[in-house]
Amino acid sequence: MADTLTFDNLKKGMRVRIAGVSEEAPFCGRLMELGLTPDAEFTVIKVAPLGDPVEIDLRGYKLCLRRSECSCLKVALVD
Amino acid sequence: MLLSQRTGAVTVALVGNPNAGKTSVFNALTGSKQKTGNYPGVTVERVTGKMKVEGTEFLVIDVPGLYSVEPVSVDEQMATNVLRGEGPDVPDLLVYVMDATNIERNLYLFSQIAETDKPAIVALTMTDVLARDKREVDTIKLASMLGVPVVPVVPHKGTGLADLQEAIFRAVDDPDVPSIDLGFPQVVMDAADGLVETFGLSGVELTRKEARCVILEEHCSTYARFREQAELKQAIDDARTAVLGAHAKGKTVDAQARYAWAGRIRREVVADRDTMRRSWSDKLDSWLTHRFFGLAIFLGTMYLVFQSIYTFAKPLMDIIDVGVGWVSDLVGKALAPWPMVESLVVGGILKGVGAVLVFLPQIIILFLFIALLEGTGYLARAAFLMDRLLGWCGLNGRAFIPLLSSFACAVPGIMAARVMPDQRSRLLTALVAPLMSCSARLPVYVLMIGAIVQPKFGQAWAGFALFAMHFVGLAVAIPTVWVLNKGVFKGRRLPFMLELPRYQRPKLRDVWLTVSSRVKVFVKTAGTIIVVMSVAMWALLEFPKGDKAAYAAEYAKLPEVRRQAVTEDNYLAERQREDSALGRFGRSLEPAFRPAGFDWRMTTAILAAFPAREVVVPAIGILFGQGETDGGDAGARQTLQDSMVKATWPDGRPLLTPWSAVAFMIFFALCSQCMATLATITRETGSWKWAAFAFTYMTVLAYVAAVATNFVGTIVSR
């Protein structure tokens, strides 16, 4: 079984799948509307020089998010 | 109803995700026939334009970009209102601007908008970008899957515009309403059917779509309609439980179903992206967002922007000054027979007009840069690089340019805050931008430091003091943002989200429209307020006129030493200002400012500088009997500094101590003394209340900080 990670652990180049979404968290609804739904996969393209935000490649588009604001998402590594 | 049967222009709303290319389509459709305003009471801009196709006039609205019809920001709220037909605009036809490079997420919103049952056309943008990857969208298939026409457009090349206009024109007589099959899970549709039936038994008509909405969406408007009816509400709640069970929420089911649908369509109409292939834009980005080079290039770019508004604008501003001075001379001569009228026109109206025009070089230069940076795609990178630095106190990376610009001048800085996509950040930025030490504060620092710090402590400390004064505002701004963010702006915060668009050549037309619309807006709205305030200030300083003969008699009785220091004309001017409405006000306020170490002259200078802090040095000149000087000429400044150092309280104590001088500078660093800034805040936030708020908090801060400085300093140095 793949390790479960949070956004805090993401590093450049990782490919991950969304393993879980905790719906009560503040920004959860909006994140799902952006395409971060359960089972969606994305790749980490880059991390800003100061460590945050991170840019991900999701559903054919690219999006930058802050690590702390995605705490409701649990992700698992995909090979 | 056919759109052609309605009276008046047909209203076309351009809707879509942020960054889908809406504004470019809008600019291309309407050209320069645009009107910019605000939605009532909010900082959200409302842009409308006119378009004529084959003799039929259309009103086109550039609706704020949105990600979902469940709004999380004021901007999205305004956009949703337009879609629902609430508010000032009721669209007859939607032009859905869809980014071909980002079909899935764009289809998510389309699936929601399709449920409004409004006639629609899809304008497919960025097909040229897609073509660079050797990919294309099967528009015929897409049109058949969405049920509405799909028109590819590349606005800056003019491709597809005629087709789009024709499609809009055709829709007047023959509109197409989207019809899509979202393919929700069977359990959802069964529950929806059940709900329709239950409602039917109670004699309430409910469509299948409404039923699905009410089951899956917590904030569905249909739910609100039946909340009061216990029986129906119970039926809804039962259906929700049946579908979702105890653990899941409707949102997940809904979003997953819509994205599954979007994914199916995307795979049908466009080939997958080759994720291995790195475009030149990606390669460039690895330099421009590089840990070291990225930050270095960023700092270099920002230095250039700052230098441009701080330094390069200066000669242009001087030309405007000279020009206004020249016109003032001419008008002054023409009006010489009527001194009152001359004084009003030259000292009030023309001065105000000059004060408006003098901001234009900085506004034009800054917005030229912003439009270019935005057009190339670098602006988003700037926000990406700086977000961490500004994020922790409640701002975000996009605030960097507005705040940096404010070190030159808060007016273009506040106007630049509009690049931020949500109202909360815009307001926060606009409210703290005036705390940044603008160039108009510099003459005060130079005057005071030269008068007190340099002679007493030497050149090194003088340099440090000048540097430190520029940090006072910044140091105060950070906790201010924090407090405003926690205390004043309650309610939902948005997650920070940013898209880094592909780098591209800026479109000159968009650059020109950005710059010209900013200038127009500033001159029209802020400009009017500035001229009116200028006239009001003129009246307060000119009246009452005082008794010239009595002042002259006073002058004659002055001791010889005093008369050598002050010319008769300067003395008369000083006495007139002292007896003017503002001078009297300054005198009556002196007790309030005494704890800060200011006498009535300094107090009156502060009051006179409320409309524009630039006038403080000339005001000090008059009030200290040295005539009007702008402090630019070193000799005149030295004389003025001497007379300030020699000035005493009535009991003979020296007026200027190092601490009262520092307190005076701190007061200027923090106080809101710029009606142009307040006028701009009013314009940009759509409400004078925010301007009043900024004025109050800054003035209170300035007063408290000045008093505290003088108080603590005096105790320490005792």
Side-chain angles (χ1 to χ4, degrees), chain B residues 638-672:
Chain B
Q638 192 57 52
T639 324
L640 179 53
Q641 284 166 341
D642 288 346
S643 67
M644 289 181 79
V645 172
K646 282 188 201 127
T648 59
W649 291 92
D651 63 8
R653 281 181 300 128
L655 171 62
L656 273 195
T657 67
W659 293 109
S660 67
V662 170
F664 194 72
M665 286 194 287
I666 287 187
F667 188 88
F668 269 84
L670 301 180
C671 192
S672 163

Side-chain angles (χ1 to χ4, degrees), chain B residues 151 178 526:
Chain B
V151 185

Side-chain angles (χ1 to χ4, degrees), chain B residues 604-623:
Chain B
T604 306
I606 285 171
L607 294 176
F610 266 99
R613 53 175 72 85
E614 285 89 337
V615 309
V616 72
V617 176
I620 287 178
I622 292 178
L623 291 161

Side-chain angles (χ1 to χ4, degrees), chain B residues 161 197 467 622 687:
Chain B
L161 281 176
E197 207 177 303
F467 183 73
I622 292 178
S687 160

Side-chain angles (χ1 to χ4, degrees), chain B residues 218-234 236:
Chain B
E218 206 172 342
H219 306 288
C220 182
S221 57
T222 315
Y223 190 68
R225 251 166 57 209
F226 301 113
R227 197 180 297 149
E228 302 304 315
Q229 290 156 276
E231 225 169 276
L232 298 178
K233 182 181 173 294
Q234 188 57 47
I236 295 173

Side-chain angles (χ1 to χ4, degrees), chain B residues 538-548 551 570-581 583-584 622:
Chain B
W538 165 84
L540 286 176
L541 269 172
E542 288 295 319
F543 296 101
K545 275 280 163 212
D547 186 347
K548 238 182 184 167
Y551 298 155
N570 283 345
Y571 183 80
L572 294 187
E574 180 192 334
R575 291 288 292 120
Q576 189 275 321
R577 288 297 194 260
E578 190 179 346
D579 286 344
S580 72
R584 283 171 204 205
I622 292 178

